[in-house]
Amino acid sequence: MATSKLSQFGLQHVARGIGRLTPEVIESGSGSHVTMVGGKRYLDFTMGIGVANLGHCHPKVTKAIQSQVGQLLHGQVNIAFQKPYLELVEQLIPIMPHKSLDTFFFWNSGSEAVEAAVKLARHATKKQNIIVMQGSYHGRTMGTMAMTRSKTVYGQGFGPLMPGVFSVPFPYCAQCSVAQASGGKYSSSNCCMDPIRQLEVLLKQETAPSDTAAIVIEPVLGEGGYVPAAPGYLERVREICDKNGILLVADEVQSGFGRTGKMFAIEHWGVRPDILVMAKGIANGMPLSGIVARKDLMDTQMPGSMGGTYGGNAVACAAGVAVAKAFKEERILENVNARGQELSDMLSKLRSDPKTADIIHDVRGLGLMQAIEFKSGAAGSIGSKVQAKCKELGMLILTTSIYDTLRFIPALNITKEDMAKGCQILKEAIEEVAAGQKPQETATRGQALE
Ligand SMILES: Cc1ncc(COP(=O)(O)O)c(C=O)c1O
């Protein structure tokens, strides 16, 4: 089948609800690049939405998978322990963001792991309600749809959703009305802490601490716009949790495994989560997710209440072990911080450059989890125009959030040369879109588009 025929076949027979960045068909991936059927090659700044973090088909991960396939493909966790599962636990214990996090449960997807965290929180506290952040993304299952507050499309028309979920604003200073009205007094480095006040109000008006099992939070809001929590915010949330017997659940499905320059994003704030949720980068593309908590919390669950046919699959765990080893052997975090600095320098230059400053509302992020938010105008999303231009120039990037935001998720081991190339493409695309943008199309601050 020719490329276009294959695409047509996909468009005809694959669920429309999926939606995709391009109708092309990926043939292969290697390192920071993907090649499409037909031969078109792209520099990939999406990495399968932050999954193939060590690059497509990392040789050590591929080798570990191949070797495990011939040893044991499927053991099933309710039958017996599996060696790769235990080896993965052994690899992960030393890199957890707090030494209390020592007992693991593996699942397949991020959504399932978030649901496992909710089950654990409800069971351990004997309380029901869950607090999430506005702008949060926790998945597309029936439970996690109810916890997702980044775009209505994820839950629209699928209700009734799981009850007992409440939301409060995340400290998203670039969109906070208090910060915007403060004339520069408050900003992302000096948050007004209104979200803390609103959390305290929520616990008095809507969900009493005695009914609240957990606060679930992405330390860096992912689908909601790549927004790192403002300094001091997570520390205050931890205090509120401690005071009220509420568990703090860090959803690090997207921000974990080195993405922000530390193994887990929450380490930037030194805050201890009670439950940590992980997925995506854990196995570089094999379907694997998990939760970790302290033993006394995890051991409240009855044997048999957890498990599942494919969860913690032996091959996926073997890939996870190879990922953990590669992190150390290849000094991945050092590269994340060096390349992240280059990306952030380039974004800051664009923000102050008179050629592009007028269309940029905010640049932000940590490590290689960075974003640029545009001042969107009447003509529609600037981000989508930049995204299309980048694709024309040979690079895949993603938009995110209801605000006009482009996010950058390159491989954590991207080379200096590929980062320079990506930055050059991005600069060219943004300059071209800025030059074609009429003044009335640019709002004075970031506006929600969808
Ligand atoms: C923070 C966060 N939590 C949960 C999920 C859901 O993970 P999955 O798509 O593997 O179910 C995602 C996916 O993007 C995510 O970013």
Side-chain angles (χ1 to χ4, degrees):
M1 263 189 224
T3 315
S4 58
K5 274 205 176 152
L6 257 186
S7 300
Q8 284 307 321
F9 182 82
L11 291 169
Q12 181 66 29
H13 295 290
V14 177
R16 179 172 174 260
I18 295 177
R20 56 192 66 74
L21 164 61
T22 170
E24 289 159 285
V25 180
I26 303 176
E27 175 99 67
S28 62
S30 175
S32 285
H33 293 85
V34 285
T35 305
M36 304 306 197
V37 171
K40 173 99 187 160
R41 190 166 178 261
Y42 290 103
L43 175 59
D44 189 1
F45 264 42
T46 74
M47 300 320 288
I49 319 194
V51 173
N53 282 353
L54 298 183
H56 293 285
C57 298
H58 187 286
K60 290 177 189 163
V61 181
T62 303
K63 195 165 166 231
I65 292 169
Q66 285 168 339
S67 138
Q68 185 58 43
V69 164
Q71 184 78 24
L72 176 74
L73 186 61
H74 175 68
Q76 215 289 335
V77 292
N78 302 101
I79 305 293
F81 288 124
Q82 303 166 168
K83 260 172 86 182
Y85 195 114
L86 298 178
E87 276 165 22
L88 181 56
V89 169
E90 205 180 357
Q91 287 292 327
L92 295 183
I93 287 174
I95 58 170
M96 286 298 107
H98 194 269
K99 64 178 179 345
S100 62
L101 301 171
D102 63 356
T103 310
F104 292 76
F105 169 77
F106 295 127
W107 244 143
N108 308 289
S109 69
S111 310
E112 287 170 307
V114 171
E115 291 205 355
V118 170
K119 277 171 75 171
L120 177 57
R122 284 183 165 175
H123 196 264
T125 61
K126 308 277 177 273
K127 301 193 272 183
Q128 289 183 4
N129 292 346
I130 305 293
I131 297 175
V132 297
M133 301 291 124
Q134 260 176 29
S136 62
Y137 183 87
H138 298 294
R140 287 184 168 95
T141 56
M142 289 312 280
T144 55
M145 257 195 302
M147 298 167 65
T148 287
R149 304 292 165 106
S150 50
K151 278 186 188 172
T152 49
V153 70
Y154 300 123
Q156 200 177 336
F158 296 127
L161 303 178
M162 178 178 82
V165 183
F166 297 78
S167 68
V168 279
F170 185 81
Y172 186 169
C173 306
Q175 286 295 335
C176 164
S177 44
V178 179
Q180 296 292 326
S182 73
K185 184 174 169 203
Y186 297 119
S187 66
S188 54
S189 55
N190 177 33
C191 176
C192 65
M193 290 293 151
D194 192 56
I196 287 293
R197 196 185 67 83
Q198 299 212 36
L199 176 58
E200 286 167 343
V201 169
L202 184 88
L203 287 167
K204 290 201 169 97
Q205 283 186 329
E206 295 183 49
T207 170
S210 58
D211 285 334
T212 307
I215 298 176
V216 183
I217 191 160
E218 297 161 80
V220 181
L221 206 58
E223 302 299 302
Y226 276 31
V227 190
Y233 173 78
L234 289 170
E235 294 88 324
R236 296 278 297 273
V237 174
R238 178 72 262 178
E239 280 167 26
I240 290 171
C241 285
D242 287 341
K243 197 171 130 204
N244 295 292
I246 298 171
L247 296 177
L248 179 60
V249 180
D251 179 347
E252 293 238 27
V253 166
Q254 192 153 172
S255 60
F257 287 94
R259 182 49 58 195
T260 67
K262 294 196 183 280
M263 213 56 207
F264 291 92
I266 201 144
E267 294 170 47
H268 289 281
W269 296 272
V271 168
R272 175 185 64 83
D274 295 290
I275 306 173
L276 179 78
V277 186
M278 39 198 169
K280 289 192 186 276
I282 188 172
N284 215 47
M286 290 298 287
L288 184 68
S289 65
I291 59 168
V292 58
R294 56 181 190 277
K295 184 164 172 54
D296 66 296
L297 202 60
M298 205 70 114
D299 281 357
T300 56
Q301 294 185 319
M302 300 293 288
S305 64
M306 303 297 282
T309 301
Y310 298 112
N313 168 267
V315 180
C317 286
V321 171
V323 167
K325 288 184 179 167
F327 257 90
K328 285 179 271 177
E329 289 161 10
E330 298 173 17
R331 303 153 80 105
I332 298 295
L333 292 182
E334 279 175 35
N335 196 61
V336 175
N337 288 308
R339 303 291 82 80
Q341 191 59 53
E342 288 158 10
L343 179 59
S344 119
D345 288 348
M346 191 275 302
L347 294 176
S348 302
K349 269 194 205 137
L350 286 176
R351 195 184 189 184
S352 54
D353 185 338
K355 288 205 292 292
T356 46
D358 281 353
I359 62 165
I360 298 175
H361 177 58
D362 193 29
V363 298
R364 55 178 174 253
L366 291 169
L368 287 173
M369 188 171 184
Q370 298 196 34
I372 183 164
E373 185 177 325
F374 296 102
K375 299 173 184 171
S376 50
S381 163
I382 296 171
S384 300
K385 290 183 195 164
V386 175
Q387 182 187 40
K389 185 72 205 164
C390 285
K391 190 163 171 288
E392 224 179 280
L393 296 171
M395 180 165 86
L396 297 179
I397 47 170
L398 285 168
T399 57
T400 193
S401 114
I402 59 159
Y403 302 107
D404 196 357
T405 304
L406 273 181
R407 56 172 152 167
F408 313 112
I409 338 171
L412 304 184
N413 54 3
I414 185 170
T415 61
K416 194 172 171 59
E417 295 69 37
D418 281 337
M419 176 53 81
K421 191 174 157 204
C423 286
Q424 183 51 40
I425 291 177
L426 202 52
K427 182 169 172 286
E428 203 178 316
I430 292 176
E431 282 175 0
E432 188 176 312
V433 172
Q437 202 72 9
K438 297 192 193 84
Q440 68 271 24
E441 289 175 350
T442 307
T444 50
R445 69 177 264 219
Q447 301 284 333
L449 279 175
E450 295 161 72

